[in-house]
Amino acid sequence: MAKITAHLAKNKKILFAASEAHPLIKTGGLGDVAGALPAALHDLRQDVRLILPAYRDAMRDIGDLKVASLRMQDDPYPLRLLEGKLPGSGVPVWLVDSPLHFDRAGNPYLGADGRDWPDNADRYAIFARAVRAVALNQMGLAWQPDVVHCNDWQTGLVPALLSLAPTRPASVFTIHNLAYQGVVAATDYRRLGLPAEVWSVEGLEFYGQASYIKGGLAYADMLNTVSPTYAEEIRTPAFGCQLEGLLQRRTDRLVGILNGADYREWDPEHDRHLPHHYSAASLQGKAANKTALQREVGLPRAPEVPLIGLVGRLVEQKGVDLVLAILPALLQQPVQVVILGSGDPAFEKALTILAGHYPQHCQVKIGFDEGLAHRIEAGADLFLMPSRYEPCGLNQIYSLRYGTLPVVRRTGGLADTVTDWSEGLARATGFVFDAATPPALLEVVLRALQHYRDDPVGWRRVVGNAMARDYSWRRSAEAYLDLYQQAIARAGAGKP
Ligand code: ADP
Ligand code: GLC
C-alpha cells in the first residue's frame, strides 16, 4: 500500500507510443494492451497520453478531433498532429496525420494482398520522428513527458532517435513479439535520412539491413516483455530470433510484466457482445450462450456436446499447423469445434477445406470479428491455444474469466497463467501440455474431453477456480510505474 501511495503522490508524464489501440484500431493483443494500459495508468492518476498513427479507421472512430500542431508541416515528410480522446476513457490521444502514409483502407500493416505495405519503412520512420518531436517538446504542445513508452518494432526507432538528443526523457521499450522486427533495406534507411550515428552492429544494423526493433532493444533505458517466462525464453537461441546476444548483454535492463485483462470489455457479467450474461455463481447464461453460438455459426444445437473454441491470428506462432494435424482425429469424437481467425492464406484455406468435410462438427470463420470473438469465449467449453511461443497471450486470460477452460502449451505467458488439471482440483484452471507435436496436442485435448464427460463436478470446480483468477490491469500498471522509475534513474545516469 505504501508503494501505491508513493506513486500517486508523484504523478508522471508518460507518452505511450503504439501502432494500434483498441477501440480505435486493433489487429491483436497489442491493440488490447495499448487500449487498456494507458487507461489503467490514467486511473492511477498519471498524466498519460497516447500517440498513434492517424489511420483512416482510427480517424473515423475517435469522434471530435482538433489540430494540435502544425510544426512538422514543412518537413520533407510533412505531418499534422491531431488531438482527441480514447473512447471509453479520459486518455488524451494524439494522431500523427500523414495522409499519404496512413489514410488508407484496411489493416495497419498489410495490404489487401496480405503482404506488408511496401512503404512500411517510411510509415514507421515518420511516426517515430513525430513521437520524438513530441517527446522533446518540439511540437508546441507545452508538455514534455518524463518517460516515453514504446511498443514493438513500429516504435523501435524512437529510443534510438532520442539517444542522440542532448537532453531527453527516459525511454521504455516493451517487446510484445520479438519475431516481428521491422527489418528494412539499408538503402531505405539512408533514403529516409535516418541517422548514421546509430547505424552499427551494437545499434540498428542487422546483417547489413536496418532493424527497427533493435532501436528499442539497444537504446531504451529499460526493456520489458509481457510475461516473466517469455522474458527468460528470449535470452535463449530457441526464442531469441537472433537477438538473444543483445538481450543477454542488456539482461539487467530486461524484466517481465504480465499483461492484464480489461474487465470493462471482457467480463461475462456485463459483456455487451453477449446475448446472455452470467457469473460463477450462476452459469445458466453460459449454457444459453453456447446454444446461441451454435446457432450463430451453424452448428447443431447440442447442449451436452463439448464445444471447443479457437480465436486468433492464423500464423505459425499460434500452432495452427498442430490444430490442422489433429482435427481429423479429434472430429471423430462427440465434439464441436469453432475457429475464428485470419492470417496466413495457406492456413485459412486448409482450415476452411477441412471444416467443409465436417459441417456438423466444425465451423471455421475467416475474418476479424470482435463480437464473435467474445461470443466464442462465452459459448465454448474449452479454448484451444497450442502456441509454439506466446509472449503473453490474452485469449487464455479472457477464457479463464469466461469459465472456458484453456488448453495451452507450456510456453511464455501461457505457462504463467494456466494451471493444469493434474495439479489438483483446488488449484487447476485448465490444461497444459509440453511438446509442440500433434500427438501431444491430441492427447491433452482427449484428456480434457474425458474430464468433461466423466467428472462434471470436478469440471464445475475448475471452472470456478478459473473464473476467480484476477488479472486486472491495475497490478500490471503499478509494475510499469516501477519500470518507469527505473528508466528515469538510468536515463539520468547517462547513456543507455
Ligand atoms: P496476439 O496478440 O498474438 O494476436 P493475444 O492473445 O495477445 O494474441 O491477443 C489477441 C487479441 O486479438 C484478442 O483480443 C483476440 O480476441 C483478438 N483476435 C485475434 N484474432 C481475432 C479475430 N479473427 N477476430 C476477432 N478478434 C481477434
Ligand atoms: C503479441 C503477442 C501476445 C501478447 C500481445 C500483447 O501480439 O503475440 O502474446 O499477448 O502481443 O502483449
Side-chain angles (χ1 to χ4, degrees), residues 55-277:
Y55 306 111
R56 183 179 295 176
D57 289 358
M59 299 271 275
R60 188 196 54 220
D61 292 346
I62 198 167
D64 284 347
L65 274 176
K66 65 174 202 214
V67 175
S69 174
L70 295 168
R71 288 272 175 102
M72 292 177 81
Q73 281 287 70
D74 301 327
D75 269 37
Y77 301 97
L79 57 88
R80 300 187 301 171
L81 207 62
L82 305 173
E83 193 174 303
K85 282 265 159 65
L86 185 66
S89 80
V91 176
V93 182
W94 284 310
L95 295 181
V96 175
D97 184 29
S98 170
L100 177 66
H101 298 101
F102 300 121
D103 182 14
R104 50 181 85 161
N107 186 292
Y109 320 122
L110 313 171
D113 58 1
R115 300 159 80 119
D116 288 351
W117 290 114
D119 58 349
N120 272 350
D122 302 43
R123 298 168 75 230
Y124 293 105
I126 287 158
F127 181 54
R129 279 204 180 112
V131 176
R132 172 191 170 279
V134 173
L136 298 176
N137 196 12
Q138 294 174 348
M139 294 293 268
L141 302 167
W143 185 85
Q144 173 143 35
D146 304 308
V147 187
V148 184
H149 184 165
C150 302
N151 295 275
D152 270 358
W153 72 264
Q154 296 89 342
T155 56
L157 287 177
V158 175
L161 296 177
L162 283 176
S163 75
L164 300 171
T167 58
R168 61 171 181 87
S171 59
V172 164
F173 185 77
T174 299
I175 304 161
H176 296 267
N177 196 329
L178 194 60
Y180 296 83
Q181 302 181 348
V183 176
V184 314
T187 46
D188 283 332
Y189 189 84
R190 284 193 293 273
R191 176 179 55 78
L192 286 162
L194 291 165
E197 295 92 316
V198 288
W199 179 273
S200 68
V201 177
E202 294 76 38
L204 294 179
E205 202 241 314
F206 189 62
Y207 300 98
Q209 296 183 289
S211 162
Y212 283 13
I213 202 172
K214 276 189 81 189
L217 303 183
Y219 292 100
D221 295 304
M222 287 302 290
L223 305 172
N224 82 296
T225 184
V226 286
S227 69
T229 295
Y230 193 60
E232 295 300 322
E233 288 172 338
I234 55 176
R235 294 174 167 102
T236 68
F239 293 90
C241 303
Q242 297 182 288
L243 293 165
E244 61 275 9
L246 172 56
L247 292 168
Q248 282 159 16
R249 278 197 298 286
R250 303 208 77 208
T251 201
D252 61 324
R253 308 276 182 139
L254 171 62
V255 302
I257 300 176
L258 200 66
N259 284 332
D262 187 348
Y263 294 127
R264 295 171 311 173
E265 298 269 332
W266 293 93
D267 186 328
E269 285 196 56
H270 54 248
D271 184 333
R272 67 199 152 91
H273 299 288
L274 301 188
H276 308 280
H277 290 143

Side-chain angles (χ1 to χ4, degrees), residues 273-298:
H273 299 288
L274 301 188
H276 308 280
H277 290 143
Y278 63 95
S279 64
S282 132
L283 285 167
Q284 294 96 315
K286 183 161 178 61
N289 281 305
K290 179 170 174 178
T291 306
L293 177 64
Q294 286 165 332
R295 193 179 319 116
E296 178 176 357
V297 300

Side-chain angles (χ1 to χ4, degrees), residues 409-425:
R409 203 168 89 72
R410 199 184 314 277
T411 185
L414 301 175
D416 292 339
T417 51
V418 180
T419 308
D420 187 68
W421 185 290
S422 65
E423 297 201 25
L425 292 182

